[in-house]
Amino acid sequence: MNTAMVQRLVYKDWYFNRWPIVLYVALGLLSLGLVSQGGELAFFAGSVALITVLISIGIHLTMVTVIHERRDHTLAFVMSLPISAREYTLAKLLANLLIFGLAWGTLAVGAVAVIAGRASLPDGLIPFTLTVLGELFAGYCLVLSVAVVSESLGFTIAAIVVGNLLVQALMYWESHLPTVAADLQGDALHWRPQLLAVLGAEAAAVVLLLGLTFYFQSRKTDYL
Amino acid sequence: MYQQIQEQIRERVALGDWPPGYELPSIRQLAIDLRVSVITVKRAYLELEREGVIVTQQGKGSQVAAQAGLGARLLAGDLERALDQVAHLGAQLGLSPAELQNRLEEACSRRQTAQRKEQE
Amino acid sequence: MNSLAIELRGVAKRYRHFALEGLDLELEEGQILGLIGPNGAGKSTTLRMLMGLVHADRGSVRVLGHSLPAEQVAAKREVGFVSEDLRLYGAATVAWHMGFVASIYPGWDEAYAQALLRRFDLKAEQRVKGLSHGQRVKAALLLALARRPRLLLLDEPTTGLDPVARQEVLGELMAVLADERRTILFSSHNTLDVEQISDQITFLDGGRVLDSADKESFLERWRRLRLELPAGGSLPALPGTRLDASSGRLAVVTTRCFEPEMAEAYREAGARVQAVEPMSLEEIFLAEVAWRRQGAAA
């Protein structure tokens, strides 16, 4: 394994995306500030803004690091460096997961902290919030995997649409489960089996998507 | 393509720019300087060696042949070829040898006039 | 004998509308090979296979002793690749790219890089997206040259360059060859470039090698003969020779294997040889392609 080379490529993607990511995280923190104001409208607006920011970070990263790299022919530059196709895939996934993970992790910790810290926000929201954050992470992995494997804008947009619909469907379904709906109003933390199953499925989806990406990449015979 | 390089080197030797024993640039160096391929220069050197203009020693590079009167001999060769060309063109134009001779004398006096003007 | 920098044996690659077949190609260390072919001949595919970016369906590909695509990382450490469709990051400066490439290749020569920057008239602090096409090509070439690779693979390096930039680039390529262990393969549809600096020439058309030889023997073998036929006479058919045009008693013949005896044979047949003309690489290439395509049609 050509670790130094993979590191260079990860660093490169960070270097080109660092300012937009800082900006997105700042917007995410502003959304959290809005949520913490209390009041139904502020809570609703803040959480929609936060979800939007997280989805946007994923789309932005995937577009810039995967789709544009191919469209702008900078992929040829990268592939001309001493790196194998497998290492390229690894570097691309690592860079994306690390950069997205950094932003996502910051905002996830922030969201839990805001809910736990504000008396006006019932702590019972936390398990629900984590499943939604997990879904956003898995949805991002779906978009990233489709982009890396297909190298196509069309398929990537389709994956973005599917990912967003899944988030909406999940939130609707969970909030209409009688037990979960009741939990959302109280301060007690209840890890309902449905929510644990969702978290498990999300983690499995992430692992499966990344595994499939390596599998499909290894079957390619043309990298340009 | 190699003929041009061959011609240029032959000319330098003929005019005495490169005297007998003069070290020629290495094939690679000349190729780089002229921005032409190595094989072209190699071929030019080979032809020059065959003509006896240069001598190549394995591992030591090439030198202008240390032959007495090499420059003069090359110029004489050039003259022969030019005269053949004159004879050929003359025949095509239907000129007699006497007429050609007149034209040659005219050319000689033109050159003398031009040289005199240059000196003034 | 020198070792081979490039060795392709029986390489085949099939696409839906295009196929490379039975491609054999050799290049000795220390030489420049010019790969000439029209658009779609398979030049880019060949170069990508030499970089391990495209895997051959059949045959073997070796670069600097490494078998591709398996050992592409080792091979690419010693190869500089510049292609028409290889671009640098528009948002980054030339200096950033230099730093990035320098951090990857231990052989990076900063003094040489700075010298190239001046010679190519590039500004390190300029962003790539503000560069002209010629400047971009020169920047990509700088990045490839300054790591001092043993093999340079260049896909159409002079396409779209103005005459000044073209000569600068060709000059730098020749300078690379001062080190006898360094090798260049470049593709072009500009036969002038190839004619100027190549030692070896390979003609590619329709995914096949039409001909491959050292440049001087290429130029030596091909001749155009202008003949005056005897009244009512006909020309003897000679091997490797083709009648290009005839009007009245004048005929033009091209041959791919010229020998002085050939003119003799025509004279014996009663024809008068008006001229035996050398051909430019471009004319030779056009003749090769025309022969192949007519042969395929027949």
Side-chain angles (χ1 to χ4, degrees):
Chain A
M1 181 54 64
N2 193 349
T3 324
M5 193 59 230
V6 173
Q7 273 175 9
R8 297 302 307 161
L9 291 185
V10 170
Y11 167 75
K12 173 205 64 122
D13 279 342
W14 164 249
Y15 175 82
F16 286 134
N17 291 287
R18 64 201 196 288
W19 292 120
I21 291 299
V22 166
L23 191 70
Y24 279 118
V25 171
L27 284 174
L29 293 174
L30 277 178
S31 314
L32 281 174
L34 199 58
V35 169
S36 72
Q37 293 300 305
E40 201 177 334
L41 182 64
F43 176 81
F44 181 73
S47 38
V48 168
L50 182 64
I51 292 174
T52 308
V53 163
L54 280 166
I55 291 176
S56 301
I57 296 175
I59 296 175
H60 183 109
L61 272 178
T62 310
M63 286 296 164
V64 171
T65 65
V66 182
I67 302 295
H68 290 180
E69 193 144 277
R70 185 170 181 86
R71 184 199 66 187
D72 299 341
H73 300 283
T74 47
L75 178 60
F77 172 67
V78 172
M79 291 307 293
S80 77
L81 302 172
I83 189 162
S84 69
R86 212 165 65 90
E87 287 158 353
Y88 168 78
T89 306
L90 178 69
K92 200 83 304 190
L93 294 183
L94 265 182
N96 270 278
L97 292 176
L98 284 174
I99 300 171
F100 184 79
L102 186 72
W104 178 88
T106 307
L107 294 177
V109 168
V112 172
V114 164
I115 296 171
R118 281 276 161 177
S120 59
L121 298 172
D123 290 356
L125 277 169
I126 289 175
F128 173 82
T129 304
L130 287 179
T131 59
V132 174
L133 284 167
E135 177 61 31
L136 288 169
F137 196 94
Y140 164 69
C141 287
L142 173 72
V143 173
L144 177 62
S145 299
V146 169
V148 168
V149 172
S150 74
E151 304 173 44
S152 132
L153 183 60
F155 281 112
T156 306
I157 289 174
I160 291 169
V161 170
V162 169
N164 286 7
L165 289 177
L166 282 175
V167 175
Q168 304 300 329
L170 183 86
M171 294 202 306
Y172 179 86
W173 176 69
E174 285 183 6
S175 59
H176 283 74
L177 291 170
T179 48
V180 175
D183 294 343
L184 293 180
Q185 310 297 326
D187 265 339
L189 281 178
H190 292 293
W191 296 94
R192 303 289 176 193
Q194 293 99 326
L195 297 194
L196 289 176
V198 167
L199 281 174
E202 285 164 356
V206 169
V207 173
L208 182 71
L209 284 167
L210 298 180
L212 282 175
T213 306
F214 275 106
Y215 172 73
F216 283 118
Q217 285 295 89
S218 71
R219 287 170 57 92
K220 282 189 187 172
T221 56
D222 295 359
Y223 293 92
L224 273 187
Chain B
M1 221 174 157
Y2 70 89
Q3 290 97 333
Q4 287 172 16
I5 295 167
Q6 191 185 346
E7 193 50 48
Q8 283 168 15
I9 294 176
R10 206 196 278 126
E11 203 154 286
R12 292 198 165 180
V13 173
L15 296 173
D17 278 357
W18 288 1
Y22 179 86
E23 292 272 350
L24 270 73
S26 77
I27 290 174
R28 232 161 239 280
Q29 195 50 52
L30 189 61
I32 292 164
D33 294 346
L34 298 176
R35 294 180 181 176
V36 299
S37 55
V38 171
I39 199 161
T40 300
V41 178
K42 205 181 271 178
R43 180 66 191 271
Y45 276 29
L46 215 65
E47 293 295 325
L48 287 165
E49 204 183 343
R50 202 173 296 168
E51 285 180 359
V53 177
I54 66 172
V55 184
T56 303
Q57 283 171 300
Q58 203 65 43
K60 279 192 181 168
S62 303
Q63 295 179 340
V64 175
Q67 233 183 69
L70 175 63
R73 188 170 64 79
L74 288 173
L75 285 176
D78 288 347
L79 179 63
E80 284 307 308
R81 276 190 292 279
L83 287 173
D84 285 347
Q85 183 69 5
V86 167
H88 177 74
L89 291 173
Q92 284 198 323
L93 288 168
L95 299 175
S96 71
E99 281 167 313
L100 271 181
Q101 208 170 328
N102 282 338
R103 298 289 284 270
L104 185 61
E105 276 162 19
E106 280 169 33
C108 288
S109 58
R110 265 204 304 279
R111 184 185 137 78
Q112 277 168 355
T113 317
Q115 266 189 333
R116 227 175 293 131
K117 271 193 186 149
E118 232 169 72
Q119 278 163 3
E120 279 169 14
Chain C
M1 189 186 132
N2 287 337
S3 54
L4 293 175
I6 289 174
E7 192 181 3
L8 294 181
R9 293 252 175 275
V11 167
K13 178 74 186 176
R14 190 165 283 281
Y15 292 104
R16 208 181 308 162
H17 299 293
F18 171 74
L20 272 179
E21 274 164 64
L23 192 65
D24 291 310
L25 193 65
E26 274 185 8
L27 177 58
E28 277 179 26
E29 264 187 356
Q31 299 209 336
I32 300 189
L33 182 141
L35 196 58
I36 303 181
N39 293 326
K43 304 189 296 285
S44 295
T45 305
T46 305
L47 281 159
R48 285 169 183 184
M49 282 198 284
L50 292 170
M51 286 299 287
L53 303 179
V54 165
H55 300 184
D57 297 337
R58 265 179 293 117
S60 74
V61 179
R62 294 186 72 81
V63 172
L64 299 170
H66 304 290
S67 171
L68 263 60
E71 297 164 18
Q72 60 170 295
V73 175
K76 285 195 281 192
R77 283 207 178 95
E78 303 181 282
V79 176
F81 179 61
V82 175
S83 155
E84 223 188 349
D85 58 8
L86 177 152
R87 306 278 161 78
L88 305 175
Y89 291 96
T93 61
V94 176
W96 179 86
H97 283 89
M98 288 167 68
F100 182 66
V101 172
S103 75
I104 293 166
Y105 297 89
W108 178 266
D109 183 340
E110 184 60 27
Y112 181 33
Q114 293 298 332
L116 283 172
L117 213 48
R118 282 190 299 277
R119 245 174 277 165
F120 284 164
D121 201 17
L122 293 169
K123 289 179 187 64
E125 292 313 318
Q126 201 170 348
R127 282 181 200 281
V128 168
K129 67 177 157 214
L131 300 179
S132 68
H133 170 75
Q135 288 171 318
R136 286 174 198 207
V137 172
K138 287 192 284 188
L141 206 58
L142 178 155
L143 295 174
L145 287 171
R147 67 181 89 142
R148 296 204 179 273
R150 273 175 66 200
L151 173 63
L152 275 169
L153 295 176
L154 311 171
D155 196 3
E156 304 275 355
T158 54
T159 300
L161 295 187
D162 63 62
V164 176
R166 207 183 123 243
Q167 282 304 323
E168 281 172 354
V169 165
L170 292 181
E172 281 313 319
L173 294 187
M174 281 309 301
V176 163
L177 270 272
D179 179 347
E180 292 178 25
R181 290 193 62 215
R182 299 176 68 192
T183 313
I184 299 176
L185 183 154
F186 78 108
S187 80
S188 183
H189 51 238
N190 182 348
T191 52
L192 274 178
D193 293 346
V194 178
E195 187 162 0
Q196 186 176 341
I197 67 170
S198 295
D199 298 310
Q200 299 287 324
I201 287 170
T202 295
F203 281 158
L204 212 58
D205 185 43
R208 286 171 175 280
V209 171
L210 295 186
D211 209 345
S212 188
D214 79 81
K215 181 184 68 191
E216 291 302 333
S217 60
F218 235 117
L219 296 174
E220 200 91 318
R221 280 193 342 231
W222 284 83
R223 284 289 182 276
R224 189 188 300 110
L225 282 81
R226 296 190 185 280
L227 304 170
E228 201 180 310
L229 303 180
S234 66
L235 287 174
L238 298 175
T241 300
R242 204 179 67 141
L243 181 65
D244 273 344
S246 65
S247 64
R249 289 174 54 197
L250 294 178
V252 178
V253 162
T254 46
T255 174
R256 58 182 306 160
C257 41
F258 179 75
E259 299 282 349
E261 295 81 57
M262 202 168 244
E264 222 34 63
Y266 283 125
R267 275 188 204 106
E268 273 166 26
R272 201 174 74 83
V273 180
Q274 289 184 328
V276 179
E277 299 168 350
M279 295 166 71
S280 72
L281 202 55
E282 174 130 343
E283 292 169 322
I284 296 173
F285 177 55
L286 291 173
E288 288 253 25
V289 171
W291 286 25
R292 189 195 84 95
R293 293 190 180 169
Q294 281 180 5

